[in-house]
Each structure stands twice: as structure tokens, then as C-alpha cells.
Amino acid sequence: MDWFLIISASLCGIASVVALFMSLRWCAVPAFVSMLLASLLWTLDIPMLLFWGAATAMIWAIGAMLPPAVASDRRSGAYASVGTITGALLGHLASVSSIPAMMLGAFLGFLAYSRTPGGKSLPPFPAKGFWQYLCAKGLPPVVTIAMTANAIYMIILYFRTV
């Protein structure tokens, strides 16, 4: 049973990272399932699952409320996703809190995208529209990678105790 949970949680984690580059609306769902399956290995922390479940619902709701032109734009989400993954890895290596590092990575990735020819149509950096677009496209990768990192951490804890 444990191996089934480990493999299923790992596959859901991989699916959530792949989904970051396909649909930001659905990327948090497999990450939450991954974390749920991994928590069955270690300990079932109901408050943590409720918090991340609410975050997953919020990501889905934000994706549902976005205009179709914004929701279908995958390029800016890819920049934010790569920045978030980089921020998570660097935050882990530097032994600092990973979530602020992921947020900084998403910001820098989106800032880099806004400087490309495809991102020239976006509002400039300090404008209100820039921050709204960043929240719409940067929050899903941060939540998804944070949940996937939690699942990885719980699987590692399981192997350290067995």
C-alpha cells in the first residue's frame, strides 16, 4: 500500500508541474492530490490539508474568472512557472523560507516576460495592471510548487523513518 501511495503521489506531483505549462487553472488540483496521498504516508494533518484545499479552490476560481484572452496566454505563465521553480530550488539550497523565494522567482520571471516582445502589450512594471496580471499568472505556480514541495518533503520523511 505504501508503494502505491508513493508512486501515485509522485505521478500527481509530476502531472502538476507539467500542468503549470499547460493550464494554470487546473495545475493546483494534481498538486493537492499529491500532497493528500503523501500525507497518508506520514500523518494526516487536517488543518494543513484544509488550508491547501482552500488555496486550490482559490486558484481554480481565479482561473475561472479570468478573461479568455488572459487565461489562454501560456507564455507569461511559463515564465512565472520557471521563475517559481528556480526560486524554490534556490530557496531550499540557501536554507531560507521557500515560499518568499518562490514569490520572488515568479515576480522576476514575469518581469523578464514583460521585457520580451510578446510581453510589450502588458502594463509597465509599477502600474496597477502589472500587479493584477502578476497575481493572476504568478499565484498558481507558487501554490502548485509549494504543495508539490510539501508532498516531496512528506515522502522523504517517510523514508527517513522506515
Side-chain angles (χ1 to χ4, degrees), residues 6-161:
I6 291 168
I7 291 170
S8 299
S10 301
L11 289 175
C12 286
I14 292 168
S16 68
V17 173
V18 170
L20 281 173
F21 298 95
M22 300 174 75
S23 171
L24 290 179
R25 182 176 179 186
W26 294 102
C27 63
V29 175
F32 179 74
V33 172
S34 173
M35 194 175 64
L36 176 65
L37 293 171
S39 71
L40 293 175
L41 286 170
W42 181 245
T43 178
L44 194 59
D45 188 2
I46 300 298
M48 178 190 70
L49 291 173
L50 288 174
F51 172 79
W52 288 112
T56 301
M58 184 176 67
I59 295 302
W60 188 86
I62 288 172
M65 290 187 292
L66 287 176
V70 175
S72 64
D73 180 25
R74 292 187 180 143
R75 293 173 298 171
S76 60
Y79 276 78
S81 298
V82 169
T84 301
I85 293 168
T86 305
L89 293 175
L90 291 177
H92 178 71
L93 291 175
S95 297
V96 298
S97 180
S98 292
I99 292 179
M102 287 186 271
M103 292 168 51
L104 179 63
F107 169 75
L108 292 176
F110 192 70
L111 190 62
Y113 173 71
S114 70
R115 302 294 188 246
T116 64
K120 291 293 182 188
S121 63
L122 298 176
F125 165 56
K128 177 181 161 186
F130 176 86
W131 294 106
Q132 290 172 342
Y133 202 84
L134 173 65
C135 289
K137 292 293 187 173
L139 186 62
V142 170
V143 170
T144 301
I145 296 300
M147 286 192 291
T148 304
N150 277 339
I152 292 169
Y153 180 69
M154 285 186 258
I155 292 171
I156 290 170
L157 280 179
Y158 172 77
F159 280 115
R160 293 180 95 187
T161 59

